[in-house]
Amino acid sequence: MSPTSSRPVGSRGFALRFAVALALSVTALPDFALAQSFSIDLGNGGPTLTGRAVQLFLIITLLSLAPGIAMMVTCFPFMVTVLSLVRQGIGLQQTPPNMLIVTLALFLTWFVMEPVFEEAWQRGLSPLIDGDITPEQAWERTMAPFRIFMEGRVGPDVIETLAAAAPGRSADLVPGEPAPYSLLIPAFLLSELERGFEVGFMVFLPFLIIDLVVASILMSMGMMMVPPVVVSLPLKLAFFVVADGWTLLTGALVRGYAQ
């Protein structure tokens, strides 16, 4: 056999031996991983590579939950609830659209919560960035303005009800001590939803009266085949526009937090 014909055989044999060795190494890899424990030191006595990975995972998780956490400790639930109920009271399903309702609620929340944000930045985040305080101190100082805001909007009976609903949580409420965030935040959200429905009920009343009047007039005229919504919807829109409803409503919502 000529040298040119032996080269493919040799290359195929080398490839076969390499594949067998690779398969054996992969087969033995799980046993090696289970039998060995190792860590990588990044130097200067810092955390290991595993610790860095865990920290990175926690940071990404917190960043993904940051919008939800910010909404839970602000007036956003109250704002979006009232605005959605106003749209339902008028009789509109998708006007204004959900994106516009949420955007308006976000900017109203920013307007109301701006003093709280500034105080939290000055007391906690700015000193942390400058390296003057530790992360634990920054957490307490940053959350202090939000705690004051939430405690001013939540009723003590709501916190006591939540604490009594969970076995063993009543011990967390110590007289004279602030309530833990695990009880304060849910109580704040429930209180905001309750106030939102109260305001929504007051907003619904004039629209309900218009619906009843229109339905009574149509029935008295014998126009039972005409849906009352067809007549009442333009009247409700005209009433809301003439009364400058959006400005009055948003002004009342903002003034409610200034008290």
Side-chain angles (χ1 to χ4, degrees):
M1 183 179 297
S2 63
T4 57
S5 61
S6 63
R7 286 175 186 174
V9 176
S11 60
R12 288 196 297 267
F14 174 77
L16 180 62
R17 290 194 300 270
F18 179 78
V20 171
L22 181 61
L24 292 176
S25 62
V26 171
T27 305
L29 184 59
D31 297 334
F32 174 78
L34 292 175
Q36 301 295 327
S37 176
F38 67 93
S39 61
I40 300 177
D41 191 356
L42 299 180
N44 298 326
T48 61
L49 183 60
T50 303
R52 291 292 187 183
V54 172
Q55 291 177 3
L56 182 61
F57 176 77
L58 293 177
I59 290 174
I60 295 175
T61 303
L62 289 177
L63 289 177
S64 62
L65 296 177
I69 296 174
M71 294 176 185
M72 289 189 296
V73 297
T74 61
C75 60
F76 178 80
F78 174 75
M79 296 291 183
V80 73
T81 300
V82 173
L83 295 177
S84 300
L85 289 176
V86 169
R87 183 179 64 180
Q88 295 294 326
I90 297 175
L92 302 172
Q93 299 299 325
Q94 296 296 331
T95 306
N98 292 329
M99 182 177 296
L100 182 58
I101 292 291
V102 173
T103 303
L104 180 59
L106 284 174
F107 277 96
L108 290 176
T109 302
W110 182 17
F111 180 74
V112 172
M113 300 295 298
E114 187 175 6
V116 180
F117 293 154
E118 291 181 355
E119 185 177 359
W121 171 265
Q122 294 175 0
R123 295 181 57 179
L125 296 178
S126 181
L128 176 65
I129 295 176
D130 296 337
D132 298 333
I133 58 177
T134 62
E136 291 78 10
Q137 295 174 339
W139 165 259
E140 294 296 331
R141 295 185 182 184
T142 302
M143 291 301 298
F146 292 98
R147 173 180 286 276
I148 296 174
F149 174 79
M150 289 187 289
E151 289 178 347
R153 297 283 298 178
V154 67
D157 54 340
V158 181
I159 298 180
E160 294 175 359
T161 302
L162 287 177
R169 297 307 303 270
S170 299
D172 296 340
L173 294 178
V174 180
E177 294 291 334
Y181 289 109
S182 59
L183 290 177
L184 180 60
I185 294 178
F188 170 73
L189 289 175
L190 292 176
S191 300
E192 291 293 278
L193 288 177
E194 181 181 359
R195 289 189 178 90
F197 277 90
E198 291 175 355
V199 175
F201 172 75
M202 299 301 296
V203 172
F204 256 88
L205 285 180
F207 300 124
L208 178 61
I209 294 174
I210 294 176
D211 288 332
L212 293 176
V213 170
V214 170
S216 300
I217 294 175
L218 292 178
M219 290 291 292
S220 63
M221 295 176 62
M223 303 174 64
M224 293 178 294
M225 300 301 294
V226 178
V229 177
V230 176
V231 181
S232 63
L233 181 57
L235 294 178
K236 288 188 289 186
L237 287 175
F239 168 76
F240 195 69
V241 171
V242 171
D244 198 9
W246 288 113
T247 304
L248 292 177
L249 178 64
T250 54
L253 296 180
V254 173
R255 283 193 299 270
Y257 285 93
Q259 297 177 356

